[in-house]
Amino acid sequence: AQKVTQAQTEISVVEKEDVTLDCVYETRDTTYYLFWYKQPPSGELVFLIRRNSFDEQNEISGRYSWNFQKSTSSFNFTITASQVVDSAVYFCALSDWGGATNKLIFGTGTLLAVQP
Amino acid sequence: DAGVTQSPTHLIKTRGQQVTLRCSPKSGHDTVSWYQQALGQGPQFIFQYYEEEERQRGNFPDRFSGHQFPNYSSELNVNALLLGDSALYLCASSFPGQSSYNSPLHFGNGTRLTVT
């Protein structure tokens, strides 16, 4: 069955520390996409990144970087030099091969608190 | 360019009542999905609408129904409300006819439903 596990329920760091959010997934599909979304207190899910199963290159966007390792079914997210504005719940998600649909399977999320 | 808009933002209902939630997709998007997010959990897929038809449905009872209008806006209806239906209901839209493999979902701020 499709499943996403985010074992870290809460992480607290002090500003400027680096932090890594873990994501482990299970899927039967050979073609799939993985996502990270950020959910601030306002409730809106903000798209951060999409990675397909054939592209294992790490990606960096400013202070954000992602490490996709198919061998361990992991797609971890690192924030470098964290800031208070990074405080939010972060969700990892897996696309469900439903043909033409956009169904996503979400993990339970990691609450990141960045203290000043 | 307006993003995904949902109304109302908050709603309080009594057990057994019926509720209708509304969603307007991002401009240019024609596919609308609904997700339920219980407190402390990740969003769970309810169903998706495309061309005014339900294209896929998650593991939700028939009490949950929906509709999509010709202008692509959508409604989520829940009948015979239970205490367990209390959650944040998120609407998401995406580009024409494409799956998550090509287009990430854009989410609204959600409707917080409380059932007493």
Side-chain angles (χ1 to χ4, degrees):
Chain A
Q2 324 283 76
K3 186 179 179 182
V4 175
T5 301
Q6 294 181 256
Q8 305 152 308
T9 53
E10 291 187 39
I11 299 177
S12 182
V13 299
V14 176
E15 213 171 13
K16 297 184 183 176
E17 282 186 28
D18 299 347
V19 58
T20 295
L21 310 182
D22 298 333
C23 172
V24 174
Y25 63 92
E26 296 174 31
T27 180
R28 298 177 300 259
D29 299 332
T30 54
T31 301
Y32 52 89
Y33 273 69
L34 293 163
F35 301 78
W36 276 94
Y37 281 86
K38 173 182 179 180
Q39 187 175 43
S42 62
E44 178 184 2
L45 283 165
V46 178
F47 167 75
L48 296 178
I49 190 171
R50 174 185 66 232
R51 175 52 51 87
N52 75 55
S53 52
F54 296 107
D55 182 3
E56 291 194 65
Q57 282 191 338
N58 290 335
E59 182 158 341
I60 298 175
S61 175
R63 297 185 296 109
Y64 296 170
S65 63
W66 291 268
N67 183 2
F68 175 34
Q69 292 196 341
K70 218 168 173 179
S71 60
T72 56
S73 297
S74 66
F75 186 43
N76 296 336
F77 172 32
T78 297
I79 301 175
T80 302
S82 59
Q83 299 176 1
V84 172
V85 293
D86 295 328
S87 296
V89 180
Y90 290 86
F91 289 97
C92 180
L94 168 69
S95 60
D96 186 358
W97 179 254
T101 62
N102 305 62
K103 179 180 176 181
L104 294 181
I105 308 296
F106 285 86
T108 52
T110 297
L111 172 61
L112 174 64
V114 181
Q115 310 297 332
Chain B
D1 179 21
V4 178
T5 57
Q6 294 186 242
S7 63
T9 54
H10 294 85
L11 206 50
I12 299 175
K13 290 287 188 178
T14 303
R15 269 182 306 176
Q17 286 188 318
Q18 179 264 343
V19 68
T20 297
L21 310 182
R22 294 176 176 82
C23 171
S24 292
K26 182 178 170 67
S27 178
H29 289 185
D30 66 355
T31 302
V32 173
S33 302
W34 288 91
Y35 286 78
Q36 180 196 64
Q37 186 179 12
L39 196 61
Q41 300 297 314
Q44 292 199 1
F45 177 78
I46 302 175
F47 41 52
Q48 183 181 85
Y49 277 85
Y50 172 65
E51 293 188 338
E52 301 180 49
E53 289 190 359
E54 183 182 291
R55 188 153 67 171
Q56 190 179 5
R57 188 180 184 91
N59 293 326
F60 280 82
D62 292 344
R63 297 187 298 109
F64 289 77
S65 63
H67 189 77
Q68 186 179 34
F69 299 94
N71 66 352
Y72 309 125
S73 66
S74 177
E75 288 182 351
L76 164 65
N77 301 293
V78 187
N79 295 323
L81 285 167
L82 304 173
L83 295 179
D85 295 331
S86 296
L88 179 68
Y89 288 85
L90 293 162
C91 173
S93 69
S94 57
F95 281 113
Q98 293 182 343
S99 73
S100 57
Y101 306 99
N102 298 315
S103 171
L105 296 177
H106 294 255
F107 285 85
N109 287 345
T111 294
R112 173 74 62 187
L113 173 64
T114 302
V115 182
T116 63

